[in-house]
Amino acid sequence: MARYTDASCKLCRREGQKLFLKGDRCYSEKCAIERRNYVPGQHGQGRKKTSEYGLQLRAKQQAKRYYGVLENQFHHYYEMAATRKGITGENLLAILESRLDNVVYRLGWASSRKEARQLVTHGHFQIDGKRVDIPSYLTKVGEKISIASKSRESAKIKAVLEATASKPIVKWLELDRENCAAKIIAAPERADIDLAVEETLIVELYSK
């Protein structure tokens, strides 16, 4: 499976904003945006006028990088969104939000989406009592997600839960912290997604 293996902080610098790819580091003085807020590379500090296509491309790249999705899968999600009722751009973000790795991150069971993806791959979570180790699994309303019993004793999981204990939970998820369980109670809506992504630009790009 193809995946991005270069430095995560380069992605934030390229987009000119925090993508929150490295958990606690993103909130500290060590954050690359705080130290070097310019595009990486030899000509990163030079000024360059951005075209309409460039703006659309950046919007797509930002969304891909927020959720850790590569081009082929992202385009597949766009095609799914276009066939659904409603606004295509908002449908696209809702699909991305419903990915299992993102849900795990939203629940505070991981400090970043990258960490969530790793934990899911290692089989730490169950959906309706069955282990699911596919980060791209699209969760559905009514499904129950839980941390596997053995995983709850893991030092790694305990440390993550302690670090994210005060993290606010989006309203489309219902969390039972005591039992390490949660439920999808509604589909994600645009108002619930706190990411600076201009989804209309993505639709314009793919519509050409």
Side-chain angles (χ1 to χ4, degrees):
M1 181 179 64
R3 61 191 179 92
Y4 178 82
T5 58
D6 207 346
S8 298
C9 291
K10 283 186 178 180
L11 299 180
C12 297
R13 290 177 58 204
R14 179 63 188 88
E15 301 307 328
Q17 60 180 289
K18 293 187 179 186
L19 302 179
F20 301 99
L21 303 177
K22 302 201 70 173
D24 293 339
R25 184 187 179 93
C26 299
Y27 298 94
S28 72
E29 295 179 355
K30 295 181 180 180
C31 175
I33 289 292
E34 300 291 344
R35 300 168 64 187
R36 293 177 291 173
N37 190 12
Y38 52 86
V39 176
Q42 181 179 358
H43 305 291
Q45 298 186 64
R47 293 186 177 182
K48 184 177 179 181
K49 185 177 180 180
T50 305
S51 65
E52 180 183 359
Y53 171 78
L55 292 173
Q56 295 167 348
L57 181 61
R58 292 268 58 83
K60 184 190 73 168
Q61 295 297 82
Q62 286 172 11
K64 284 170 52 182
R65 289 165 175 174
Y66 269 128
Y67 293 99
V69 178
L70 297 182
E71 179 60 34
N72 286 344
Q73 193 169 37
F74 190 84
H75 189 261
H76 173 63
Y77 289 149
Y78 173 80
E79 291 178 334
M80 289 176 58
T83 61
R84 293 186 178 184
K85 293 182 178 178
I87 302 173
T88 300
E90 294 184 5
N91 291 343
L92 174 61
L93 292 183
I95 291 171
L96 291 165
E97 280 288 305
S98 67
R99 282 174 53 102
L100 179 57
D101 54 359
N102 180 74
V103 172
V104 167
Y105 168 71
R106 290 294 193 187
L107 288 168
W109 292 347
S111 59
S112 67
R113 290 180 178 85
K114 184 176 182 180
E115 183 178 58
R117 189 155 47 253
Q118 183 182 57
L119 293 175
V120 171
T121 302
H122 290 173
H124 290 296
F125 305 101
Q126 297 178 331
I127 294 181
D128 292 337
K130 297 181 180 180
R131 191 183 79 161
V132 177
D133 57 5
I134 303 173
S136 61
Y137 175 87
L138 298 181
T139 59
K140 305 173 187 66
V141 176
E143 287 184 327
K144 297 180 180 179
I145 303 171
S146 59
I147 301 176
S149 300
K150 291 183 179 180
S151 299
R152 298 176 194 178
E153 303 304 316
S154 163
K156 171 68 172 178
I157 296 293
K158 286 183 176 180
V160 170
L161 293 179
E162 183 177 351
T164 60
S166 60
K167 180 178 179 178
I169 306 301
V170 290
K171 66 180 183 182
W172 52 277
L173 296 174
E174 185 178 76
L175 175 62
D176 181 351
R177 293 187 189 274
E178 184 176 348
N179 295 309
C180 297
K183 184 177 181 180
I184 313 289
I185 59 175
E189 296 182 359
R190 184 62 184 96
D192 304 324
I193 304 172
D194 57 347
L195 301 180
V197 173
E198 295 187 58
E199 63 275 13
T200 55
L201 294 178
I202 301 174
V203 176
E204 290 173 6
L205 178 64
Y206 279 126
S207 298
K208 290 183 176 180

